[in-house]
Amino acid sequence: MSVLDLLRPDLAGFVPYASARRVGADAPVRLDANELPWPDGVDGPLPNRYPEPQPRELRSALADLYGVGTENVWIGRGSDEAIDLLMRAFCRAGRDAVISIEPTFGMYRTAATLQGARYRAVKLLPEDDFQLDVDALLAQVDADTRLVILCSPNNPTGTLHHACIDTLASALQGRALLVIDEAYIEFADTPSAAIWLDRHENLAVLRTLSKAHGLAGARIGALLGSAALVRFIGSIAAPYPLPAPSISAALAVLTPAARTLAGQRIAMLRAERERVSDALSTLPVIDKVWRSSGNFVLFRGRDAGNLFHLALENGVLLRDVSAQSGLGGCLRMSMGRPDENDLVLQAFSQGCRA
Ligand SMILES: *Cc1c(COP(=O)(O)O)cnc(C)c1O
Protein backbone atom coordinates (compact mmCIF):
# COMPACT_ATOMS: atom_id res chain seq x y z
CA MET A 1 0.00 0.00 0.00
CA SER A 2 1.20 3.50 -0.86
CA VAL A 3 0.65 6.54 1.33
CA LEU A 4 -1.08 8.00 -1.74
CA ASP A 5 -3.93 5.52 -1.11
CA LEU A 6 -4.78 7.68 1.91
CA LEU A 7 -5.32 10.81 -0.19
CA ARG A 8 -8.82 12.20 -0.69
CA PRO A 9 -10.37 9.83 -3.24
CA ASP A 10 -11.92 12.79 -5.10
CA LEU A 11 -8.38 13.98 -5.89
CA ALA A 12 -7.51 10.79 -7.77
CA GLY A 13 -6.40 11.86 -11.24
CA PHE A 14 -6.04 15.50 -10.09
CA VAL A 15 -4.77 17.60 -12.98
CA PRO A 16 -2.27 20.24 -11.79
CA TYR A 17 -2.39 23.74 -13.23
CA ALA A 18 0.12 23.75 -16.08
CA SER A 19 2.05 26.98 -15.45
CA ALA A 20 4.54 28.30 -17.97
CA ARG A 21 7.57 27.30 -15.85
CA ARG A 22 6.11 23.94 -14.96
CA VAL A 23 5.81 22.96 -18.63
CA GLY A 24 9.60 22.80 -18.62
CA ALA A 25 10.42 24.11 -22.11
CA ASP A 26 12.78 27.08 -22.46
CA ALA A 27 14.26 29.35 -25.12
CA PRO A 28 16.48 32.46 -25.19
CA VAL A 29 13.43 34.70 -25.62
CA ARG A 30 10.56 33.92 -23.30
CA LEU A 31 7.19 35.12 -24.50
CA ASP A 32 5.19 32.39 -22.80
CA ALA A 33 4.17 33.82 -19.42
CA ASN A 34 2.90 37.36 -20.07
CA GLU A 35 5.83 38.80 -18.11
CA LEU A 36 7.35 42.25 -18.59
CA PRO A 37 10.37 41.96 -20.88
CA TRP A 38 12.60 44.47 -18.98
CA PRO A 39 14.64 43.10 -16.06
CA ASP A 40 15.35 46.53 -14.56
CA GLY A 41 13.42 49.24 -12.77
CA VAL A 42 14.33 52.69 -11.39
CA ASP A 43 16.22 51.23 -8.42
CA GLY A 44 18.02 48.34 -10.11
CA PRO A 45 17.00 44.83 -11.10
CA LEU A 46 13.35 43.77 -11.15
CA PRO A 47 12.28 40.18 -10.58
CA ASN A 48 10.34 40.40 -13.84
CA ARG A 49 10.32 36.63 -14.47
CA TYR A 50 8.26 34.06 -12.60
CA PRO A 51 10.52 31.92 -10.40
CA GLU A 52 11.04 28.20 -10.86
CA PRO A 53 8.23 26.40 -8.98
CA GLN A 54 10.87 24.37 -7.11
CA PRO A 55 14.28 26.01 -7.72
CA ARG A 56 16.79 23.26 -8.42
CA GLU A 57 19.71 24.90 -6.61
CA LEU A 58 17.69 25.55 -3.45
CA ARG A 59 16.20 22.08 -3.52
CA SER A 60 19.62 20.45 -3.58
CA ALA A 61 20.97 22.80 -0.91
CA LEU A 62 18.05 21.87 1.37
CA ALA A 63 18.42 18.16 0.55
CA ASP A 64 22.05 18.45 1.59
CA LEU A 65 21.19 20.36 4.78
CA TYR A 66 18.54 17.82 5.77
CA GLY A 67 20.37 14.68 4.63
CA VAL A 68 17.75 13.43 2.15
CA GLY A 69 17.46 13.08 -1.63
CA THR A 70 16.30 16.05 -3.71
CA GLU A 71 13.23 14.02 -4.72
CA ASN A 72 12.28 13.93 -1.02
CA VAL A 73 12.09 17.74 -0.61
CA TRP A 74 9.15 20.02 -1.35
CA ILE A 75 9.80 23.70 -0.61
CA GLY A 76 6.95 25.96 0.41
CA ARG A 77 6.10 29.33 1.95
CA GLY A 78 7.14 28.29 5.42
CA SER A 79 6.17 24.98 6.93
CA ASP A 80 2.75 26.57 7.47
CA GLU A 81 2.00 26.08 3.78
CA ALA A 82 2.94 22.40 3.94
CA ILE A 83 0.64 21.93 6.96
CA ASP A 84 -2.21 23.50 5.01
CA LEU A 85 -1.59 21.43 1.87
CA LEU A 86 -1.36 18.16 3.83
CA MET A 87 -4.80 18.86 5.33
CA ARG A 88 -6.23 19.62 1.90
CA ALA A 89 -4.66 16.57 0.29
CA PHE A 90 -5.66 13.98 2.88
CA CYS A 91 -8.82 15.17 4.62
CA ARG A 92 -12.34 15.12 3.23
CA ALA A 93 -14.32 18.01 4.73
CA GLY A 94 -16.85 16.97 7.35
CA ARG A 95 -15.45 13.48 7.54
CA ASP A 96 -11.74 12.83 7.95
CA ALA A 97 -9.84 13.52 11.12
CA VAL A 98 -6.50 14.93 12.21
CA ILE A 99 -5.04 13.80 15.52
CA SER A 100 -2.48 15.80 17.46
CA ILE A 101 -1.44 16.68 20.98
CA GLU A 102 -2.43 19.52 23.27
CA PRO A 103 -0.92 21.96 24.10
CA THR A 104 0.87 22.38 20.78
CA PHE A 105 1.33 24.70 17.80
CA GLY A 106 -2.03 26.32 17.00
CA MET A 107 -1.73 26.09 13.20
CA TYR A 108 -2.69 22.41 13.10
CA ARG A 109 -6.14 23.08 14.50
CA THR A 110 -6.51 26.23 12.40
CA ALA A 111 -5.59 24.48 9.14
CA ALA A 112 -7.76 21.45 9.96
CA THR A 113 -10.73 23.69 10.75
CA LEU A 114 -10.27 25.65 7.54
CA GLN A 115 -10.34 22.40 5.59
CA GLY A 116 -13.42 21.19 7.49
CA ALA A 117 -11.48 18.25 8.90
CA ARG A 118 -12.25 17.01 12.38
CA TYR A 119 -9.48 17.63 14.92
CA ARG A 120 -8.79 15.73 18.09
CA ALA A 121 -5.92 16.18 20.50
CA VAL A 122 -4.45 14.05 23.25
CA LYS A 123 -3.87 16.13 26.37
CA LEU A 124 -0.32 16.38 27.69
CA LEU A 125 -0.19 17.20 31.37
CA PRO A 126 2.18 19.56 33.18
CA GLU A 127 2.44 17.10 36.08
CA ASP A 128 3.79 14.50 33.60
CA ASP A 129 6.20 17.09 32.17
CA PHE A 130 4.07 16.95 29.00
CA GLN A 131 5.23 13.44 28.14
CA LEU A 132 3.22 11.66 25.45
CA ASP A 133 1.40 8.41 26.10
CA VAL A 134 1.68 6.71 22.70
CA ASP A 135 -1.17 4.29 23.44
CA ALA A 136 -3.47 7.19 24.31
CA LEU A 137 -2.58 8.80 20.98
CA LEU A 138 -3.16 5.58 19.02
CA ALA A 139 -6.49 5.11 20.82
CA GLN A 140 -7.66 8.33 19.13
CA VAL A 141 -6.91 6.98 15.65
CA ASP A 142 -10.01 5.64 13.92
CA ALA A 143 -10.92 4.60 10.36
CA ASP A 144 -11.42 8.25 9.33
CA THR A 145 -8.08 9.45 10.67
CA ARG A 146 -5.75 10.52 7.87
CA LEU A 147 -3.10 12.60 9.61
CA VAL A 148 -1.33 12.38 12.94
CA ILE A 149 0.73 15.52 13.60
CA LEU A 150 3.37 15.60 16.27
CA CYS A 151 5.44 18.66 17.02
CA SER A 152 8.85 17.66 18.42
CA PRO A 153 10.40 19.54 20.11
CA ASN A 154 6.90 20.65 20.93
CA ASN A 155 5.92 24.30 20.89
CA PRO A 156 5.25 25.70 23.54
CA THR A 157 6.35 22.99 25.99
CA GLY A 158 9.84 22.36 24.58
CA THR A 159 9.30 18.62 25.05
CA LEU A 160 11.03 16.22 22.69
CA HIS A 161 8.83 13.34 21.44
CA HIS A 162 11.27 11.71 19.03
CA ALA A 163 11.65 8.49 21.00
CA CYS A 164 8.19 7.28 19.91
CA ILE A 165 8.33 8.17 16.20
CA ASP A 166 9.52 4.81 14.91
CA THR A 167 6.84 2.98 16.92
CA LEU A 168 4.12 5.42 15.91
CA ALA A 169 4.98 5.27 12.22
CA SER A 170 4.86 1.46 12.28
CA ALA A 171 1.53 1.44 14.12
CA LEU A 172 0.05 3.91 11.61
CA GLN A 173 1.34 2.11 8.51
CA GLY A 174 -1.50 1.85 5.98
CA ARG A 175 -3.79 3.90 8.24
CA ALA A 176 -2.50 7.47 8.47
CA LEU A 177 0.36 9.76 7.54
CA LEU A 178 2.54 10.65 10.53
CA VAL A 179 3.77 14.24 10.25
CA ILE A 180 6.62 15.35 12.50
CA ASP A 181 7.01 19.11 12.79
CA GLU A 182 10.68 19.74 13.47
CA ALA A 183 10.65 23.55 13.47
CA TYR A 184 13.03 23.50 16.49
CA ILE A 185 15.04 20.31 15.96
CA GLU A 186 18.27 22.27 15.43
CA PHE A 187 18.18 23.19 19.12
CA ALA A 188 17.67 19.61 20.35
CA ASP A 189 20.12 16.78 21.01
CA THR A 190 18.50 14.29 18.68
CA PRO A 191 18.85 13.54 14.98
CA SER A 192 16.00 14.47 12.63
CA ALA A 193 13.20 11.95 12.09
CA ALA A 194 14.22 12.15 8.41
CA ILE A 195 16.53 9.21 9.19
CA TRP A 196 13.37 7.04 9.29
CA LEU A 197 11.96 8.20 5.95
CA ASP A 198 13.42 5.21 4.10
CA ARG A 199 11.81 2.83 6.54
CA HIS A 200 8.37 4.45 6.79
CA GLU A 201 6.61 5.55 3.63
CA ASN A 202 3.81 7.04 5.81
CA LEU A 203 6.18 9.49 7.49
CA ALA A 204 6.66 13.15 6.61
CA VAL A 205 8.89 15.69 8.31
CA LEU A 206 8.46 19.47 8.33
CA ARG A 207 11.52 21.70 8.49
CA THR A 208 11.85 25.45 8.31
CA LEU A 209 14.48 28.13 7.78
CA SER A 210 12.40 30.46 10.00
CA LYS A 211 13.92 29.65 13.37
CA ALA A 212 17.51 28.34 13.55
CA HIS A 213 18.49 29.88 10.21
CA GLY A 214 17.07 33.33 10.95
CA LEU A 215 14.80 33.56 7.92
CA ALA A 216 11.32 33.98 9.42
CA GLY A 217 10.74 36.96 7.13
CA ALA A 218 11.54 35.04 3.96
CA ARG A 219 8.91 32.30 4.52
CA ILE A 220 10.84 29.21 3.43
CA GLY A 221 9.96 25.79 4.80
CA ALA A 222 10.24 22.24 3.57
CA LEU A 223 8.25 19.06 3.58
CA LEU A 224 10.45 15.95 3.59
CA GLY A 225 8.75 12.75 2.55
CA SER A 226 8.54 9.97 0.00
CA ALA A 227 9.10 11.03 -3.61
CA ALA A 228 5.45 10.20 -4.37
CA LEU A 229 4.15 12.40 -1.56
CA VAL A 230 6.50 15.25 -2.50
CA ARG A 231 5.32 15.06 -6.13
CA PHE A 232 1.67 15.11 -5.11
CA ILE A 233 2.01 18.07 -2.74
CA GLY A 234 3.87 19.94 -5.50
CA SER A 235 1.01 19.20 -7.88
CA ILE A 236 -1.65 20.82 -5.65
CA ALA A 237 0.49 23.79 -4.54
CA ALA A 238 0.28 27.29 -6.02
CA PRO A 239 2.05 27.53 -9.40
CA TYR A 240 4.94 29.68 -8.16
CA PRO A 241 4.94 29.39 -4.38
CA LEU A 242 8.36 30.90 -3.73
CA PRO A 243 9.09 34.62 -4.26
CA ALA A 244 12.43 35.26 -6.01
CA PRO A 245 13.86 37.41 -3.14
CA SER A 246 13.07 34.59 -0.69
CA ILE A 247 14.83 32.06 -2.89
CA SER A 248 17.95 34.28 -2.90
CA ALA A 249 17.73 34.81 0.86
CA ALA A 250 17.46 31.04 1.42
CA LEU A 251 20.46 30.30 -0.81
CA ALA A 252 22.45 32.91 1.12
CA VAL A 253 21.87 31.16 4.48
CA LEU A 254 22.87 27.78 3.06
CA THR A 255 26.44 28.60 2.06
CA PRO A 256 29.13 26.87 4.15
CA ALA A 257 30.02 30.13 5.92
CA ALA A 258 26.38 30.87 6.74
CA ARG A 259 25.83 27.35 8.04
CA THR A 260 28.87 27.74 10.29
CA LEU A 261 27.48 31.01 11.66
CA ALA A 262 24.07 29.38 12.21
CA GLY A 263 25.79 26.57 14.11
CA GLN A 264 27.53 29.09 16.38
CA ARG A 265 24.30 30.94 17.07
CA ILE A 266 22.44 27.71 17.78
CA ALA A 267 25.14 26.79 20.32
CA MET A 268 24.81 30.20 21.95
CA LEU A 269 21.02 29.97 22.17
CA ARG A 270 21.24 26.46 23.64
CA ALA A 271 23.63 27.78 26.30
CA GLU A 272 21.31 30.72 26.96
CA ARG A 273 18.38 28.34 27.29
CA GLU A 274 20.19 26.49 30.09
CA ARG A 275 21.40 29.67 31.77
CA VAL A 276 17.96 31.32 31.65
CA SER A 277 16.16 28.13 32.77
CA ASP A 278 18.48 27.82 35.77
CA ALA A 279 18.12 31.49 36.65
CA LEU A 280 14.32 31.43 36.34
CA SER A 281 14.18 28.35 38.60
CA THR A 282 15.77 30.30 41.45
CA LEU A 283 13.23 33.16 41.36
CA PRO A 284 10.47 33.16 43.99
CA VAL A 285 7.88 34.44 41.45
CA ILE A 286 8.41 31.34 39.28
CA ASP A 287 7.17 27.99 40.51
CA LYS A 288 8.08 25.75 37.57
CA VAL A 289 10.44 25.81 34.59
CA TRP A 290 10.28 22.98 32.08
CA ARG A 291 13.47 21.74 30.43
CA SER A 292 13.27 22.68 26.76
CA SER A 293 14.75 21.24 23.58
CA GLY A 294 13.80 24.37 21.60
CA ASN A 295 15.01 27.98 21.49
CA PHE A 296 12.39 28.96 24.05
CA VAL A 297 11.52 28.19 27.64
CA LEU A 298 8.11 27.53 29.18
CA PHE A 299 7.65 28.52 32.80
CA ARG A 300 4.83 29.01 35.26
CA GLY A 301 4.23 31.62 37.92
CA ARG A 302 1.38 32.29 40.26
CA ASP A 303 0.17 35.11 38.01
CA ALA A 304 1.06 34.97 34.31
CA GLY A 305 -0.49 38.39 33.67
CA ASN A 306 1.69 40.00 36.32
CA LEU A 307 4.88 38.41 34.94
CA PHE A 308 3.91 39.43 31.44
CA HIS A 309 3.56 43.07 32.55
CA LEU A 310 6.78 43.04 34.57
CA ALA A 311 8.68 42.01 31.43
CA LEU A 312 6.76 44.50 29.31
CA GLU A 313 7.63 47.35 31.69
CA ASN A 314 11.28 46.41 31.15
CA GLY A 315 10.75 46.57 27.38
CA VAL A 316 10.32 42.85 26.63
CA LEU A 317 7.38 41.12 25.03
CA LEU A 318 6.80 37.53 26.17
CA ARG A 319 4.16 35.08 24.95
CA ASP A 320 1.32 34.57 27.39
CA VAL A 321 0.18 30.98 26.78
CA SER A 322 -1.80 30.72 30.00
CA ALA A 323 -5.13 30.36 28.18
CA GLN A 324 -4.07 27.06 26.57
CA SER A 325 -5.13 23.72 27.95
CA GLY A 326 -2.89 22.70 30.88
CA LEU A 327 -0.89 25.93 30.74
CA GLY A 328 -2.55 28.04 33.44
CA GLY A 329 -0.01 30.57 34.78
CA CYS A 330 2.45 29.85 31.95
CA LEU A 331 4.51 32.11 29.74
CA ARG A 332 6.83 31.23 26.88
CA MET A 333 10.07 33.11 26.46
CA SER A 334 12.06 32.92 23.22
CA MET A 335 15.79 32.94 23.72
CA GLY A 336 17.16 36.30 22.67
CA ARG A 337 20.67 37.64 22.97
CA PRO A 338 22.15 37.40 26.47
CA ASP A 339 21.53 41.12 27.15
CA GLU A 340 17.91 40.74 26.05
CA ASN A 341 17.36 37.69 28.24
CA ASP A 342 18.88 39.55 31.19
CA LEU A 343 16.16 42.21 30.91
CA VAL A 344 13.58 39.51 31.68
CA LEU A 345 15.57 38.06 34.57
CA GLN A 346 16.05 41.58 36.01
CA ALA A 347 12.35 42.39 35.65
CA PHE A 348 11.34 39.22 37.47
CA SER A 349 13.87 39.55 40.29
CA GLN A 350 12.93 43.21 40.85
CA GLY A 351 9.26 42.22 40.65
CA CYS A 352 9.64 39.85 43.57
CA ARG A 353 11.35 42.49 45.75
CA ALA A 354 8.55 45.00 45.05
C1 LIG B 1 7.41 28.63 14.09
C2 LIG B 1 6.81 27.31 13.82
C3 LIG B 1 6.61 26.86 12.53
C4 LIG B 1 6.84 27.84 11.47
O1 LIG B 1 6.92 27.73 10.41
P1 LIG B 1 7.17 28.60 9.13
O2 LIG B 1 8.14 27.76 8.42
O3 LIG B 1 7.70 29.92 9.53
O4 LIG B 1 5.83 28.66 8.47
C5 LIG B 1 6.16 25.59 12.29
N1 LIG B 1 5.89 24.78 13.30
C6 LIG B 1 6.05 25.18 14.57
C7 LIG B 1 5.75 24.25 15.67
C8 LIG B 1 6.51 26.45 14.86
O5 LIG B 1 6.61 26.85 16.13
Side-chain angles (χ1 to χ4, degrees):
M1 154 155 203
S2 155
V3 71
L4 298 190
D5 296 332
L6 296 167
L7 290 170
R8 277 166 46 192
D10 55 305
L11 291 183
F14 181 81
V15 181
Y17 171 69
S19 69
R21 292 296 164 264
R22 201 173 249 164
V23 168
D26 206 1
V29 179
R30 289 179 179 168
L31 300 180
D32 62 336
N34 302 345
E35 299 150 332
L36 197 81
W38 295 281
D40 54 328
V42 280
D43 287 330
L46 274 182
N48 67 316
R49 298 292 175 187
Y50 280 105
E52 280 183 85
Q54 291 286 287
R56 222 163 324 156
E57 197 185 348
L58 181 55
R59 214 174 171 202
S60 44
L62 288 172
D64 180 60
L65 179 69
Y66 297 141
V68 297
T70 51
E71 71 281 10
N72 303 114
V73 181
W74 181 77
I75 316 162
R77 287 168 288 202
S79 31
D80 286 344
E81 184 175 28
I83 294 166
D84 180 57
L85 291 174
L86 288 168
M87 302 282 179
R88 291 173 189 244
F90 285 91
C91 297
R92 290 169 290 185
R95 178 156 179 186
D96 293 331
V98 178
I99 310 290
S100 190
I101 54 178
E102 178 176 279
T104 194
F105 186 47
M107 271 306 294
Y108 314 141
R109 184 189 290 274
T110 303
T113 303
L114 196 56
Q115 173 60 14
R118 290 178 303 128
Y119 183 87
R120 292 192 296 274
V122 178
K123 281 198 166 39
L124 308 177
L125 303 175
E127 55 270 31
D128 298 336
D129 287 335
F130 304 107
Q131 290 302 310
L132 173 63
D133 177 347
V134 176
D135 292 329
L137 185 71
L138 288 172
Q140 290 288 325
V141 177
D142 61 13
D144 292 329
T145 300
R146 290 294 173 272
L147 298 178
V148 174
I149 304 192
L150 193 56
C151 184
S152 178
N154 189 23
N155 176 8
T157 62
T159 322
L160 194 65
H161 298 294
H162 270 57
C164 65
I165 292 171
D166 197 25
T167 309
L168 261 181
S170 298
L172 294 171
Q173 170 58 37
R175 300 167 68 200
L177 178 70
L178 175 62
V179 181
I180 308 298
D181 185 343
E182 290 190 334
Y184 301 99
I185 190 72
E186 291 90 346
F187 302 100
D189 284 320
T190 197
S192 164
I195 57 170
W196 290 302
L197 284 176
D198 284 341
R199 190 140 53 134
H200 300 290
E201 203 237 353
N202 63 323
L203 180 66
V205 176
L206 302 176
R207 300 292 302 257
T208 180
L209 296 182
S210 293
K211 307 287 162 53
H213 294 275
L215 231 53
R219 315 302 306 122
I220 298 284
L223 168 80
L224 313 180
S226 72
L229 178 66
V230 162
R231 263 195 309 276
F232 188 81
I233 293 298
S235 79
I236 64 168
Y240 310 104
L242 309 173
S246 296
I247 296 168
S248 307
L251 287 170
V253 298
L254 295 173
T255 62
R259 282 173 61 169
T260 301
L261 178 63
Q264 289 161 356
R265 289 178 165 168
I266 289 165
M268 168 172 272
L269 291 174
R270 282 168 48 103
E272 277 299 285
R273 176 184 72 200
E274 300 314 308
R275 180 182 77 88
V276 169
S277 299
D278 290 344
L280 287 172
S281 311
T282 65
L283 297 176
V285 286
I286 308 280
D287 63 52
K288 176 82 186 170
V289 180
W290 283 275
R291 286 290 150 185
S292 171
S293 293
N295 65 334
F296 53 86
V297 173
L298 180 76
F299 56 90
R300 187 175 61 201
R302 271 172 296 284
D303 182 349
N306 180 43
L307 292 175
F308 179 85
H309 283 103
L310 283 174
L312 196 58
E313 281 160 20
N314 224 16
V316 184
L317 190 62
L318 298 177
R319 186 72 175 256
D320 184 344
V321 293
S322 61
Q324 289 187 46
S325 160
L327 298 185
C330 291
L331 296 173
R332 189 193 67 195
M333 175 180 170
S334 309
M335 289 302 97
R337 298 188 311 258
D339 58 305
E340 296 176 319
N341 298 332
D342 284 341
L343 290 174
V344 176
L345 298 174
Q346 279 159 16
F348 289 174
S349 43
Q350 281 155 12
C352 59
R353 279 200 295 276

